[in-house]
Amino acid sequence: MTVYMLGTIPFTLLNDVVHQVTDTMKFRFQGHEVTIHSSEVFGTADGLAIKLHLRGDVRAAVFLNGTVGFDTVKQKLVIDNFAFDLSSEQSLLHAASWLAHDVIIERIKPYLSLPLDSTFSVIPNLITRAIEKDKIGEKIDIRFSDFSVNIYQHLITTENIQIILTATGKADVGLQKKVFEKTKRVQ
């Protein structure tokens, strides 16, 4: 059995998580100190972007452009393959940009993954409940085994990340007694 499901991760949720982490981060490089003043995650035509406003010895907007991937072993949605872009009038930042590049990415990267294993574990129950709500649910019992979930495709929009999941596994279907009972005709 294979089932396809659509899930969405709104950028408002991602931004709440990223804000909690980044808005207190400080970096030191080449004798300078920089704090992340604010951050924003959003979709672009090329993938995903994170805008970081830096304050302190250097004032700049830093853009991290990344892609969405899936770690099948840890069952996590991850943002990786970063490219780095700067928007600043300060020449100091340009000189120190590549040193800060790795530091910023390494500090933020652990927070740019979303564990999905707990979400995946409830999918068999969701399928069972959907069947039970339908009339066929009165006639069959269903049990799942060897169940696995993976990301089939994803789409990044301006509002969210949309994910199509594939759930595959074995399903045992049993008929309930009602199926075998004869219905009496009312005359």
Side-chain angles (χ1 to χ4, degrees):
M1 169 195 76
T2 301
V3 176
Y4 294 89
M5 294 165 282
L6 174 65
T8 59
I9 302 167
F11 286 127
T12 54
L13 174 68
L14 285 176
N15 278 316
D16 288 346
V17 171
V18 172
H19 287 231
Q20 290 176 11
V21 174
T22 60
D23 292 358
T24 59
M25 283 187 173
K26 290 184 179 183
F27 302 93
R28 287 191 176 99
F29 56 94
Q30 293 184 347
H32 299 282
E33 186 173 290
V34 175
T35 302
I36 295 179
H37 177 68
S38 64
S39 59
E40 179 185 7
V41 179
F42 56 96
T44 69
D46 297 324
L48 200 78
I50 302 170
K51 182 178 183 179
L52 304 171
H53 290 278
L54 303 179
R55 298 293 181 260
D57 292 341
V58 175
R59 299 176 75 82
V62 176
F63 294 89
L64 301 174
N65 299 306
T67 59
V68 174
F70 183 62
D71 182 337
T72 56
V73 175
K74 296 180 181 176
Q75 292 193 320
K76 287 184 176 186
L77 183 74
V78 294
I79 302 167
D80 55 9
N81 300 322
F82 289 103
F84 193 68
D85 192 14
L86 302 167
S87 174
S88 171
E89 296 175 7
Q90 298 178 344
S91 60
L92 169 65
L93 181 63
H94 293 290
S97 67
W98 287 110
L99 177 62
H101 169 266
D102 292 335
V103 173
I104 291 172
I105 289 174
E106 289 307 311
R107 289 273 303 275
I108 293 175
K109 196 171 185 174
Y111 304 101
L112 299 179
S113 65
L114 188 63
L116 297 175
D117 54 344
S118 60
T119 304
F120 290 173
S121 67
V122 299
I123 290 175
N125 291 335
L126 293 174
I127 295 170
T128 302
R129 272 193 258 148
I131 290 170
E132 287 173 354
K133 284 183 181 180
D134 199 49
K135 284 187 179 185
I136 192 133
E138 297 173 4
K139 298 178 182 178
I140 67 169
D141 285 323
I142 191 163
R143 288 171 301 284
F144 296 99
S145 61
D146 298 328
F147 200 77
S148 68
V149 180
N150 284 302
I151 293 181
Y152 179 69
Q153 281 187 329
H154 71 276
L155 173 67
I156 298 172
T157 70
T158 56
E159 310 243 337
N160 56 35
I161 301 172
Q162 298 177 6
I163 303 168
I164 298 176
L165 303 171
T166 58
T168 57
K170 294 179 184 175
D172 297 320
V173 178
L175 298 176
Q176 293 186 8
K177 274 187 173 181
K178 277 186 173 183
V179 174
F180 301 107
E181 292 175 0
K182 291 185 178 182
T183 55
K184 295 181 181 178
R185 289 189 172 176
V186 179
Q187 293 181 2

